[in-house]
Amino acid sequence: MVTKQFSGSPEDADLMRADSLAREIFSDVANKWALLIIETLGERTLRFSELRNEVEGVSHKMLTQNLRMLERNGLAERRVYPTVPPRVEYTLTEAGQGLRATVDGMCDWTHRYLGHIETARGRFDA
């Protein structure tokens, strides 16, 4: 993946442009695992194994990839303690907490409209 450097130009923040940094970031974080990891971390600090246990269905590989992506984008912080075996903990950064507010809104929306969506799917699939 090519990393784009933010130059401060309006094009970098334009989600409609295929080559914008904003679209790259949006693509990174707009996946189910990233959203679930952000929601699960919340205001807590969790070890890898704790995260894996709480995010049901995520594989070791997908959790690792998404945590690395969140760390790369400055949304999560990884702290390694020099123990045997090494203890690794993850927490959201200030930017990650900012995104969490949006994720919380999406979770609230899902709960609010779940019945509506189920009804619409039933009509569509019939």
Side-chain angles (χ1 to χ4, degrees):
M1 172 176 17
V2 175
T3 301
K4 297 169 186 66
Q5 297 296 317
F6 182 69
S7 64
S9 70
E11 294 82 18
D12 286 338
D14 185 356
L15 281 174
M16 297 304 128
R17 289 181 52 107
D19 64 344
S20 74
L21 179 60
R23 188 181 280 194
E24 181 182 330
I25 294 165
F26 187 79
S27 176
D28 280 351
V29 300
N31 76 73
K32 69 179 176 182
W33 297 124
L35 297 175
L36 290 170
I37 292 165
I38 290 166
E39 184 65 17
T40 301
L41 277 173
E43 295 182 17
R44 303 182 294 168
T45 297
L46 295 173
R47 295 178 72 172
F48 183 92
S49 58
E50 292 171 323
L51 266 170
R52 187 163 180 213
N53 290 338
E54 289 199 32
V55 181
E56 190 173 318
V58 69
S59 69
H60 186 281
K61 177 182 176 181
M62 289 309 298
L63 182 56
T64 299
Q65 286 177 350
N66 278 275
L67 285 168
R68 286 181 182 163
M69 175 275 298
L70 292 170
E71 186 179 11
R72 176 177 181 260
N73 285 311
L75 302 173
E77 178 180 297
R78 177 179 185 257
R79 187 171 298 141
V80 181
Y81 295 90
T83 60
V84 178
R87 189 174 97 213
V88 180
E89 294 179 340
Y90 296 89
T91 189
L92 293 178
T93 63
E94 181 182 340
Q97 288 293 340
L99 180 56
R100 181 175 165 244
T102 300
V103 173
D104 285 347
M106 291 176 67
C107 291
D108 292 344
W109 174 87
T110 302
H111 288 112
R112 183 175 186 179
Y113 290 103
L114 190 59
H116 171 83
I117 293 166
E118 286 179 326
T119 301
R121 285 183 171 191
R123 282 192 312 263
F124 186 87
D125 295 340

